[in-house]
Amino acid sequence: MTAPLFPGRARRSVAALGAVSAGLLLLSACDKPTPLATVTVGSSSVSSEADCRPEGGKDLAMDRLQECLTGLKDAKTIDYARGDTLRLGVEPEIVEDGKKWQAVLDGQPITEPSANTYRSFQGADVFATGGQGEAPASKMLGFVQVGEDGKPLAVWSFKLKLK
């Protein structure tokens, strides 16, 4: 008959310590998630983390900014009917430390930079063409975070799909 190398209590302690160490190792390899931006139309909402964020806390280059605002293929989509109320919201971290955000529709700003975390547009027709032909099937809506100096820091992108 052989005796166990460790008593039962010691084995459980070693196993628990190993599990905690492995968990901490996995967490240290993860990137911190970015704050969420949310678009709500009627009772439907979609939220997303930033799609574009520069490395090392630098500003977002202008060519990269345009690509993020108009060229993302995998942006979250929400249906929008003419006259619906469009609600835009950001988590408070987006406007901390003097930062602001502004809404951009198909690359064109539709709001001024703001430190508020919520904007609402009742009965807005974001697909209006002003008599310039047929409305597109979808439009890209971006939230651009800007620093105190007005330079872009991050972009959250959504696709509004005309119902």
Side-chain angles (χ1 to χ4, degrees):
M1 187 163 157
T2 60
L5 295 175
F6 296 106
R9 186 175 187 163
R11 276 184 293 200
R12 287 191 298 273
S13 294
V14 168
L17 182 61
V20 168
S21 297
L24 289 174
L25 182 63
L26 286 174
L27 285 176
S28 68
C30 296
D31 289 333
K32 180 181 175 191
T34 61
L36 296 177
T38 302
V39 175
T40 302
V41 177
S43 61
S44 299
S45 291
V46 291
S47 296
S48 178
E49 288 186 25
D51 295 301
C52 298
R53 193 172 197 95
E55 298 296 322
K58 298 178 183 174
D59 298 335
L60 200 57
M62 288 311 244
D63 57 338
R64 180 77 172 123
L65 174 66
Q66 282 303 321
E67 178 185 326
C68 295
L69 289 172
T70 58
L72 290 179
K73 305 290 185 222
D74 59 345
K76 300 251 180 129
T77 301
I78 189 165
D79 289 333
Y80 179 86
R82 293 176 191 267
D84 280 348
T85 298
L86 179 65
R87 295 177 181 88
L88 312 177
V90 298
E91 289 187 342
E93 298 92 88
I94 292 174
V95 294
E96 285 179 345
D97 302 323
K99 296 177 186 130
K100 296 181 178 183
W101 69 281
Q102 78 181 115
V104 177
L105 189 64
D106 277 349
Q108 300 298 316
I110 59 172
T111 66
E112 293 295 321
S114 173
N116 295 328
T117 58
Y118 176 78
R119 299 286 309 256
S120 178
F121 303 93
Q122 292 185 348
D125 186 1
V126 299
F127 285 92
T129 62
Q132 302 293 324
E134 191 174 329
S138 66
K139 287 197 171 197
M140 292 298 294
L141 174 65
F143 294 24
V144 179
Q145 181 188 39
V146 294
E148 290 182 77
D149 57 2
K151 293 184 179 177
L153 302 173
V155 176
W156 292 256
S157 295
F158 301 90
K159 184 183 287 188
L160 296 177
K161 184 177 163 191
L162 184 60
K163 283 201 267 190

